[in-house]
Amino acid sequence: MYIGRVVGNVVATIKHPSLEARKLMLVRRLNLDDSLTSAYDIAVDDVQAGPGDRVLVLDEGSSARQILGGDNFPIRAVIIGIVDDVDVVK
Amino acid sequence: MYIGRVVGNVVATIKHPSLEARKLMLVRRLNLDDSLTSAYDIAVDDVQAGPGDRVLVLDEGSSARQILGGDNFPIRAVIIGIVDDVDVVK
Amino acid sequence: MYIGRVVGNVVATIKHPSLEARKLMLVRRLNLDDSLTSAYDIAVDDVQAGPGDRVLVLDEGSSARQILGGDNFPIRAVIIGIVDDVDVVK
Amino acid sequence: MYIGRVVGNVVATIKHPSLEARKLMLVRRLNLDDSLTSAYDIAVDDVQAGPGDRVLVLDEGSSARQILGGDNFPIRAVIIGIVDDVDVVK
Amino acid sequence: MYIGRVVGNVVATIKHPSLEARKLMLVRRLNLDDSLTSAYDIAVDDVQAGPGDRVLVLDEGSSARQILGGDNFPIRAVIIGIVDDVDVVK
């Protein structure tokens, strides 16, 4: 898992029915000092996250499918939580 | 998933029967500002994408196999959608 | 697996019940000379590791799930051990 | 999948019986302009590729195992095709 | 799979019983000219490799588990062979 920032979403014409009802969020990976990296993922949202939110992204297919409730869900990354605090020990 | 641009296709003599009827698309990964990165994938197309199209690529084997309809489909990346709009919040 | 240093933890509002009782540790990947890299993972702890500890991180979903005791555990990285010594041959 | 160039092979004393009858090819990943990258894989060959050949490499374990015909085949990358042409649209 | 050099081992207090009887080797990934890269893995040894040995590393969890003989073996990388020769065609 990594910490990301929701920066928008993607609108796409998709064939697979299981993804059609889902919002595809654009998430940029964050460094530990909260700065944005250039890496991004298109993730399915499971926690009602919105633009600007700092989120926890689970980037593993099998886990993502379990979160979304089914073996036959084509996805790799899912937003699994809203980050309230990152506590880095000095 | 990531956003890519279809830049061509690959013609190959392939042994495995399940891939022979499929067009192998050359997809370059895009940055969020739509510029091309040097990273690319050879992906199977599931949405009739053509050269120049901006597409959604699912880069996980198990998911890709589900999209293409079978556990015994040897593939890692599949073009799962045509991107209509990328809405990045300022 | 790689060697990491626990540098803190993440507090998050998470929907999935299996993760709610777990502490999410922030682990930075170490170089072989013990210096910190910029790469990090959010990992579930299985060995009571604390901030500052040098740990062994297993970064593969299927394995992580076995450690944590269940196929339906949504996770990719788990802290599997406390590193006592790294013996590098000169 | 990616496009690679066979640059040699590896001779190794291997314990696992399923790999002993297989030639382990050294494949360097190619850029889209056909130049070699520094990235390489040790891949099992399924199409009788030889040194110098431009090949299609499938770099996903589950898929590779299906190509080679068995769930219990320890492999991650397999040469799945000989590339006849890469058609990049200008 | 990639070619690595065993450079040492890791001593760790590990909870999971299946790993306790195994030596955890420190393997650095090699470039094709035999120079060391900064990338490393903690791998389980299946071929009695020792420090200094040039080895073949299988870096995929499902395959690694098959080598070590069980679905419930928490591992991602395994030393699968001793490299006798790398034959790079000029």
Side-chain angles (χ1 to χ4, degrees):
Chain A
M1 288 186 287
Y2 66 88
I3 304 169
R5 174 92 53 196
V6 178
V7 297
N9 64 286
V10 175
V11 182
T13 307
I14 292 179
K15 216 176 161 181
H16 201 270
S18 65
L19 278 180
E20 286 198 338
R22 295 281 180 168
K23 198 160 190 182
L24 299 173
M25 309 304 276
L26 201 52
V27 183
R28 279 179 72 179
R29 194 181 282 251
L30 291 176
N31 289 313
L32 285 184
D33 65 359
D34 252 12
S35 59
L36 296 164
T37 70
S38 62
Y40 71 91
D41 259 317
I42 312 292
V44 169
D45 179 22
D46 193 52
V47 292
Q48 308 278 52
D53 281 351
R54 195 164 52 152
V55 293
L56 208 56
V57 180
L58 181 53
D59 54 339
E60 201 247 356
S62 302
S63 295
R65 279 185 285 280
Q66 288 167 27
I67 292 286
L68 297 171
D71 272 355
N72 54 359
F73 204 102
I75 190 68
R76 193 179 64 81
V78 63
I79 299 175
I80 195 184
I82 306 275
V83 175
D84 300 310
D85 196 26
V86 178
D87 183 15
V88 179
V89 179
K90 302 298 172 191
Chain B
M1 287 187 286
Y2 66 88
I3 305 169
R5 174 90 54 196
V6 178
V7 297
N9 65 285
V10 175
V11 182
T13 307
I14 292 179
K15 215 177 162 182
H16 201 271
S18 64
L19 278 180
E20 286 197 339
R22 295 281 181 168
K23 198 161 189 181
L24 300 172
M25 311 303 277
L26 201 52
V27 183
R28 279 179 73 178
R29 193 181 283 251
L30 291 176
N31 289 312
L32 286 184
D33 65 359
D34 254 11
S35 59
L36 295 164
T37 70
S38 63
Y40 71 91
D41 259 317
I42 311 292
V44 168
D45 178 23
D46 193 52
V47 292
Q48 307 279 52
D53 282 351
R54 195 164 52 153
V55 293
L56 207 57
V57 180
L58 180 53
D59 53 339
E60 201 248 356
S62 302
S63 295
R65 279 185 284 281
Q66 288 167 28
I67 292 285
L68 297 171
D71 272 353
N72 53 0
F73 204 101
I75 190 68
R76 192 179 63 81
V78 63
I79 298 175
I80 194 183
I82 307 276
V83 174
D84 301 311
D85 196 26
V86 178
D87 184 15
V88 179
V89 179
K90 301 299 170 192
Chain C
M1 288 187 286
Y2 65 88
I3 304 169
R5 174 91 54 194
V6 178
V7 296
N9 65 284
V10 175
V11 182
T13 306
I14 292 179
K15 216 176 161 182
H16 201 271
S18 64
L19 278 181
E20 286 197 338
R22 294 283 181 167
K23 197 160 190 182
L24 300 173
M25 310 304 277
L26 201 53
V27 184
R28 279 179 72 179
R29 194 180 281 251
L30 292 176
N31 289 311
L32 284 184
D33 65 359
D34 253 10
S35 60
L36 296 164
T37 70
S38 63
Y40 70 92
D41 258 317
I42 312 291
V44 169
D45 179 23
D46 193 52
V47 292
Q48 308 279 53
D53 282 351
R54 195 163 52 154
V55 293
L56 208 57
V57 180
L58 181 53
D59 54 339
E60 201 247 356
S62 302
S63 295
R65 279 186 284 281
Q66 288 167 27
I67 292 285
L68 297 172
D71 272 355
N72 53 359
F73 204 102
I75 191 68
R76 192 180 64 81
V78 63
I79 299 176
I80 195 184
I82 307 275
V83 174
D84 300 312
D85 197 26
V86 178
D87 184 15
V88 179
V89 179
K90 302 297 170 192
Chain D
M1 287 187 287
Y2 65 89
I3 304 169
R5 174 91 54 195
V6 179
V7 297
N9 65 285
V10 174
V11 182
T13 307
I14 292 179
K15 215 176 160 181
H16 201 270
S18 64
L19 279 181
E20 286 197 339
R22 294 282 181 167
K23 198 160 189 183
L24 299 172
M25 309 304 277
L26 200 53
V27 183
R28 280 179 71 177
R29 194 181 281 253
L30 291 176
N31 289 311
L32 286 183
D33 64 0
D34 253 11
S35 59
L36 295 165
T37 70
S38 62
Y40 71 92
D41 259 316
I42 311 292
V44 168
D45 178 23
D46 193 52
V47 292
Q48 308 279 51
D53 281 350
R54 195 164 52 154
V55 292
L56 208 56
V57 180
L58 181 52
D59 53 340
E60 200 248 356
S62 302
S63 294
R65 278 186 284 281
Q66 287 167 29
I67 291 286
L68 296 172
D71 272 353
N72 53 359
F73 205 101
I75 190 69
R76 193 180 62 82
V78 62
I79 299 175
I80 195 183
I82 306 276
V83 174
D84 300 311
D85 196 25
V86 178
D87 184 15
V88 179
V89 179
K90 302 299 170 191
Chain E
M1 287 187 286
Y2 65 88
I3 304 169
R5 174 91 54 195
V6 179
V7 297
N9 65 285
V10 175
V11 182
T13 306
I14 292 178
K15 215 176 161 182
H16 201 271
S18 65
L19 278 181
E20 286 197 339
R22 294 282 181 168
K23 198 160 189 182
L24 299 173
M25 309 304 276
L26 200 53
V27 183
R28 280 179 71 179
R29 194 181 281 251
L30 291 176
N31 289 311
L32 285 183
D33 64 0
D34 253 9
S35 59
L36 296 164
T37 70
S38 62
Y40 71 92
D41 259 317
I42 311 292
V44 169
D45 178 22
D46 193 52
V47 292
Q48 308 279 51
D53 281 351
R54 195 163 53 152
V55 293
L56 208 56
V57 180
L58 182 52
D59 54 339
E60 201 246 357
S62 302
S63 295
R65 279 186 284 281
Q66 288 167 28
I67 292 286
L68 297 172
D71 272 355
N72 53 0
F73 205 101
I75 191 69
R76 193 180 63 82
V78 63
I79 299 175
I80 194 184
I82 306 276
V83 174
D84 300 312
D85 197 26
V86 178
D87 183 15
V88 179
V89 178
K90 303 298 169 190

